[in-house]
């Protein structure tokens, strides 16, 4: 078993304005390894497959249990979490690439500002004053709470944006994750106070009408969030809101 190795081909980039290149590595195999543990081995001993000393590969991670979303990358052509990508289930050579939807900082590390700016745009929070006790909030019906909990599983990993063909450098589309958050917060009894502001946000440029309904997002989401259901529901909500706005103006 000690002679068995893991063959990786990693797309690297030394900086945002530097050209990309590939570098191959061979790491000793151990049972039950994931992609993160292999990258850690390279970090401890940054020597490529040619036996040349190189720089450690840069990537992001945090929780290591598919909760934080930080370790997203493209593994064998599929955007996913590297902490849950088990070596024994991957075809070799294992190809690791950064997600192309976001600007590259270095190697496999990307800048997710595009996604976080979109969450700010749709007010993906409940704006209440937390400086004093407001008492208990309104209760949600159990049926509503159950499906809203499924929407709340989003860990802003960016995988759905990477999988969506409409999210790219030539399009202002905010992507499925921020749109899903509009549905989540509009369903909350307190969040509903700002529901129209959120609908206005997704009715503008780069909003819900830019969705091409490719279904890639719901197929790639590591948490199984019903993203296309959220998009369909918000299409209905924005249509009703448009009629109401037209009739009252």
């Amino acid at each position: 078993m000690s002679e068995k190795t893991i063959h990786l081909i990693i797309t690297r980039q030394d900086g945002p304005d530097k050209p990309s290149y590939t570098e191959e590595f061979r790491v000793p195999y151990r049972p039950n390894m994931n992609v993160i543990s292999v990258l850690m081995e390279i970090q401890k001993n940054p020597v490529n497959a040619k036996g040349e000393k190189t720089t450690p590969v840069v990537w992001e991670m945090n929780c290591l249990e598919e909760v934080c979303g930080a370790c997203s990358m493209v593994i064998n052509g599929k955007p996913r979490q590297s902490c849950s990508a088990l070596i024994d289930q991957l075809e070799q050579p294992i190809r690791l690439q950064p997600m192309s939807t976001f600007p590259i900082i270095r190697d496999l590390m990307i800048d997710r500002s595009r996604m976080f700016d979109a969450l700010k745009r749709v007010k993906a929070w409940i704006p209440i004053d937390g400086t004093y006790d407001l008492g208990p909030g309104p209760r949600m019906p159990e049926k509503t709470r159950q499906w809203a909990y499924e929407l709340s599983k989003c860990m802003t990993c960016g995988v759905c944006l990477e999988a969506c063909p409409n999210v790219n450098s030539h399009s202002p589309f905010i992507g499925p994750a921020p749109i899903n958050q509009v549905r989540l917060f509009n369903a909350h009894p307190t969040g509903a106070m700002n529901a129209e502001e959120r609908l206005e946000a997704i009715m503008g440029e780069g909003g819900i009408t830019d969705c091409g309904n490719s279904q890639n997002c719901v197929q790639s989401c590591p948490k199984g969030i019903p993203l296309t259901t959220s998009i369909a529901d918000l299409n209905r909500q924005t249509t009703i809101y448009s009629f109401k706005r037209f009739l009252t103006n």
Side-chain angles (χ1 to χ4, degrees), residues 214-229:
S214 69
Q215 310 282 322
N216 288 18
C217 58
V218 73
Q219 293 177 27
S220 63
C221 177
K223 291 300 183 182
I225 299 172
L227 296 166
T228 50
T229 302

Side-chain angles (χ1 to χ4, degrees), residues 98-116:
M99 293 198 295
S100 59
T101 297
F102 305 93
I104 297 172
I105 298 175
R106 183 170 179 176
D107 292 342
L108 303 172
M109 180 183 286
I110 55 170
D111 180 359
R112 291 180 173 82
S113 295
R114 173 179 186 157
M115 178 172 52
F116 297 129

Side-chain angles (χ1 to χ4, degrees), residues 21 24 29 63 66 106 112 127 149 166 168 170 183 199:
Y21 60 96
E24 298 191 32
Y29 171 84
C63 71
E66 204 173 56
R106 183 170 179 176
R112 291 180 173 82
Y149 174 69
N166 291 61
N168 53 66
H170 303 291
R183 186 186 183 206
L199 293 178

Side-chain angles (χ1 to χ4, degrees), residues 1-6 26-30 87-88 92:
M1 185 176 292
S2 60
E3 297 178 356
K4 187 176 179 181
T5 60
I6 301 163
R26 287 193 177 273
V27 176
Y29 171 84
R30 296 195 315 270
I87 297 301
D88 291 333
Q92 294 198 40

